[in-house]
Amino acid sequence: MALQPAREGKEAKKDPQSGAGSSVQLFTWEDIGLCTGQGHPQQEQWLVIDRKIYDIGQFYQRHPGGAQIISHYAGQDATDAFTAFHANKALVRKYMSSLLIGELAQDQISMEPSKNKLLVEDFRELRTTIERMGLLNPNGLFFFLIFLQILLLEAASWITLWYFGTSLLPFLISVVLLTTSLTQAGYLQHDLGHLSVFSKRKWNQVVHMFVIGQLMGMSASWWKLTHFQHHAKPNCICKDPDLSMHPILFTLGKVLSVELGMKKKKFMPYNHQHKYFFVTILPFLFPVYFQYFAFHKTIQRKDWVDLAWMLSFYIRFFLSYEPLLGLKSLLGFYLLLRVLESIWFVWVSFMSHIPMNIDYDKNLDWFSTQLQATCNVDQSLFNDWFTGHQNFQIEHHLFPTMPPYNYWKVAPLVKSLCAKHSIEYHCKPLLTAFADIVHNSRETRVSLWITQWRILLNMKQQTKKNTNVKIHKEWDREC
């Protein structure tokens, strides 16, 4: 596909990114919307950042953040997403110059006509205010204390077995201590992956590989490829990998449930999904799904450095605990450890997204996209620690590179913006958030059941109608 400029005959103008005196081609939003590459990977994929138009068709496979995340914005304005994900925007723009093909025509607005211009402008002004307040700047002491906590908990786990022996009570205490250490390490690697810990990107990347690999036995590259997609298009069908449980295990959201009902497909007994949630995804997401895909994707991508970090965890774990427990008890210790870690992780990660709106990408503005897909949990010292500050999921999604200890400072500003534009700001108690996961599971299976019931009823009515027509025709022939 090769589109012609929307405004031919315009005078050539100087483009600072592509060289003095170069002619800049001008395009409309209609032109851009046609270049999404959907179904044709070799075709042009255009996106807009600050009115500049970039063709990522030959670049998206080499994108450091992953091919999918940048492709999700093909044919759209990606300005706010670009700002949210890139800490050093000036450096990134240097590498973008070769992708520049033009800019929006002067009579074109800066974003798609479907977006709320006033809301976008207010949000960008809010972000500028937050940057000016220094709320995106990291504090090393906070993260050092988190790291120290992780090491102390892991040491306490080993010392418990070494000093008190391997009877049932010390065994369980040791498992709980190490589970807590791993979970807190998960929160720390999350902040490192979002470039929230160090001011230099390189330091975040190096320490991230150490924490997620050596302390958790997981893959840094696999985590980034999946997690950043979730942030770019949260709860968007076919774009958020966190929705991949549908429909193999669960039916998620009313839209997906209705679609599944219309297709008359059924992979699982969805009427009971709020029950088997407790014996499938809750205890086994981490030890089965995450572990398998982390190793599979790392080997598939031939990321041997990442694989070495992952294996270093298992080597250290075996050398530390096998002399105390023996091989058979060590396997039980490890499985119980991962099950408890999975339960903790699932409750915390699901509570902020699964009960929220799940739909196809409507290409809404950044602020609306995040507010529809996320909710908060009430602040308290325990909630902040237990969730790794992910109880402020709204603020985290709006400003993913922000250090977590600043979320509470930004929350009132976000609430004010929501009130101004009549957008609901969801915040609930911790236990209510947990219960909503199960309630949502019930609601979606009800949507599926109602859809299937309506289809069945329509089929019966149609069959009855056809039968009556046939009888009348036969009666007419006899007469």
Side-chain angles (χ1 to χ4, degrees), residues 206-457:
V206 171
V207 181
H208 181 230
M209 293 185 71
F210 168 79
V211 172
I212 195 173
Q214 168 60 224
L215 299 184
M216 296 184 64
M218 297 292 292
S219 165
S221 60
W222 172 80
W223 180 87
K224 290 179 181 178
L225 290 174
T226 55
H227 191 70
F228 288 169
Q229 286 186 71
H230 161 70
H231 268 268
K233 295 290 184 178
N235 281 14
C236 288
I237 303 167
C238 300
K239 292 189 176 183
D240 184 353
D242 287 3
L243 303 180
S244 59
M245 297 175 293
H246 174 96
I248 303 302
L249 281 176
F250 301 94
T251 174
L252 302 173
K254 291 183 179 180
V255 174
L256 287 174
S257 300
V258 170
E259 276 192 1
L260 197 62
M262 294 179 68
K263 293 177 181 177
K264 295 182 287 186
K265 288 184 178 181
K266 197 171 184 180
F267 296 88
M268 293 286 284
Y270 300 121
N271 288 344
H272 302 283
Q273 66 178 18
H274 60 289
K275 300 173 184 176
Y276 66 73
F277 163 80
F278 293 95
V279 294
T280 54
I281 203 74
L282 187 62
F284 296 117
L285 178 67
F286 211 100
V288 178
Y289 180 83
F290 275 11
Q291 292 292 308
Y292 168 76
F293 276 102
F295 274 101
H296 174 70
K297 293 297 182 181
T298 303
I299 295 173
Q300 187 180 55
R301 289 167 54 87
K302 298 181 180 180
D303 194 341
W304 308 125
V305 174
D306 221 19
L307 182 63
W309 277 115
M310 294 171 66
L311 293 175
S312 71
F313 165 83
Y314 293 96
I315 294 171
R316 179 176 58 85
F317 180 80
F318 179 84
L319 294 177
S320 300
Y321 287 92
E322 196 278 334
L324 300 175
L325 294 168
L327 184 59
K328 187 180 294 186
S329 296
L330 179 65
L331 293 175
F333 183 88
Y334 176 77
L335 180 60
L336 181 57
L337 172 72
R338 289 304 193 188
V339 166
L340 292 177
E341 183 184 10
S342 180
I343 293 172
W344 193 334
F345 172 82
V346 169
W347 283 121
V348 171
S349 60
F350 279 30
M351 69 180 185
S352 301
H353 298 291
I354 295 300
M356 303 303 292
N357 182 60
I358 299 175
D359 203 346
Y360 288 97
D361 183 13
K362 301 298 184 182
N363 191 17
L364 300 176
D365 58 88
W366 178 261
F367 189 85
S368 299
T369 298
Q370 308 304 329
L371 264 293
Q372 284 191 9
T374 57
C375 67
N376 279 7
V377 167
D378 293 340
Q379 183 188 23
S380 70
L381 289 176
F382 174 78
N383 286 355
D384 290 354
W385 173 83
F386 183 78
T387 66
H389 291 85
Q390 292 187 40
N391 50 328
F392 287 97
Q393 196 70 198
I394 293 174
E395 287 70 29
H396 170 57
H397 267 255
L398 290 174
F399 313 102
T401 60
M402 177 179 288
Y405 50 80
N406 284 333
Y407 294 153
W408 69 274
K409 299 177 184 178
V410 179
L413 302 177
V414 175
K415 289 179 182 178
S416 177
L417 186 56
C418 286
K420 179 179 178 180
H421 292 274
S422 301
I423 297 174
E424 190 170 0
Y425 183 98
H426 295 272
C427 189
K428 60 188 76 170
L430 182 64
L431 294 181
T432 301
F434 289 165
D436 283 348
I437 300 174
V438 182
H439 293 160
N440 178 263
S441 180
R442 288 176 177 173
E443 290 176 1
T444 53
R445 58 102 176 179
V446 168
S447 298
L448 174 64
W449 181 82
I450 290 175
T451 303
Q452 292 179 330
W453 179 79
R454 286 176 175 171
I455 292 173
L456 182 61
L457 184 62

Side-chain angles (χ1 to χ4, degrees), residues 23-307:
S23 178
V24 176
Q25 291 184 316
L26 304 179
F27 300 93
T28 67
W29 280 111
E30 184 179 4
D31 298 332
I32 296 161
L34 295 173
C35 296
T36 63
Q38 293 183 1
H40 303 280
Q42 300 303 320
Q43 288 187 353
E44 295 169 324
Q45 296 185 47
W46 295 0
L47 54 77
V48 180
I49 298 174
D50 290 328
R51 297 187 63 87
K52 303 289 185 182
I53 302 170
Y54 301 89
D55 183 1
I56 60 170
Q58 302 299 320
F59 167 76
Y60 74 102
Q61 294 284 7
R62 295 179 283 112
H63 180 234
Q68 292 88 348
I69 183 174
I70 193 171
S71 295
H72 290 339
Y73 278 92
Q76 301 179 9
D77 176 43
T79 302
D80 291 315
F82 172 82
T83 303
F85 287 122
H86 299 92
N88 191 343
K89 287 173 277 295
L91 176 63
V92 179
R93 289 185 188 278
K94 292 182 180 180
Y95 293 97
M96 292 167 55
S97 60
S98 61
L99 308 177
L100 183 67
I101 61 170
E103 62 182 51
L104 287 170
Q106 293 180 356
D107 64 342
Q108 298 291 300
I109 59 177
S110 297
M111 64 209 71
E112 297 93 321
S114 60
K115 292 181 178 176
N116 186 334
K117 180 181 178 182
L118 182 59
L119 175 58
V120 172
E121 291 175 347
D122 285 347
F123 172 71
R124 291 176 182 176
E125 183 178 346
L126 172 61
R127 182 179 176 88
T128 301
T129 301
I130 288 170
E131 289 176 345
R132 192 163 52 242
M133 293 170 64
L135 296 180
L136 298 180
N137 301 329
N139 182 345
L141 178 61
F142 172 85
F143 294 106
F144 173 76
L145 293 176
I146 296 294
F147 182 68
L148 185 62
Q149 172 199 207
I150 294 166
L151 296 183
L152 290 175
L153 285 168
E154 184 169 335
S157 171
W158 187 86
I159 291 172
T160 298
L161 291 176
W162 173 75
Y163 187 80
F164 293 102
T166 58
S167 58
L168 182 60
L169 185 58
F171 182 90
L172 294 177
I173 292 174
S174 179
V175 168
V176 170
L177 288 170
L178 191 53
T179 299
T180 307
S181 175
L182 286 173
T183 304
Q184 293 298 320
Y187 297 145
L188 178 58
Q189 72 81 21
H190 174 267
D191 296 330
L192 286 161
H194 279 293
L195 312 179
S196 304
V197 179
F198 299 100
S199 57
K200 291 184 182 278
R201 179 186 182 91
K202 189 67 176 178
W203 276 103
N204 282 293
Q205 292 175 331
V206 171
V207 181
H208 181 230
M209 293 185 71
F210 168 79
V211 172
I212 195 173
Q214 168 60 224
L215 299 184
M216 296 184 64
M218 297 292 292
S219 165
S221 60
W222 172 80
W223 180 87
K224 290 179 181 178
L225 290 174
T226 55
H227 191 70
F228 288 169
Q229 286 186 71
H230 161 70
H231 268 268
K233 295 290 184 178
N235 281 14
C236 288
I237 303 167
C238 300
K239 292 189 176 183
D240 184 353
D242 287 3
L243 303 180
S244 59
M245 297 175 293
H246 174 96
I248 303 302
L249 281 176
F250 301 94
T251 174
L252 302 173
K254 291 183 179 180
V255 174
L256 287 174
S257 300
V258 170
E259 276 192 1
L260 197 62
M262 294 179 68
K263 293 177 181 177
K264 295 182 287 186
K265 288 184 178 181
K266 197 171 184 180
F267 296 88
M268 293 286 284
Y270 300 121
N271 288 344
H272 302 283
Q273 66 178 18
H274 60 289
K275 300 173 184 176
Y276 66 73
F277 163 80
F278 293 95
V279 294
T280 54
I281 203 74
L282 187 62
F284 296 117
L285 178 67
F286 211 100
V288 178
Y289 180 83
F290 275 11
Q291 292 292 308
Y292 168 76
F293 276 102
F295 274 101
H296 174 70
K297 293 297 182 181
T298 303
I299 295 173
Q300 187 180 55
R301 289 167 54 87
K302 298 181 180 180
D303 194 341
W304 308 125
V305 174
D306 221 19
L307 182 63

Side-chain angles (χ1 to χ4, degrees), residues 461-477:
Q461 290 176 345
Q462 188 66 35
T463 302
K464 184 177 180 181
K465 181 179 178 181
N466 293 338
T467 302
N468 290 336
V469 170
K470 184 177 181 181
I471 291 173
H472 283 296
K473 286 182 177 179
E474 291 176 354
W475 175 256
D476 290 340
R477 281 199 303 269

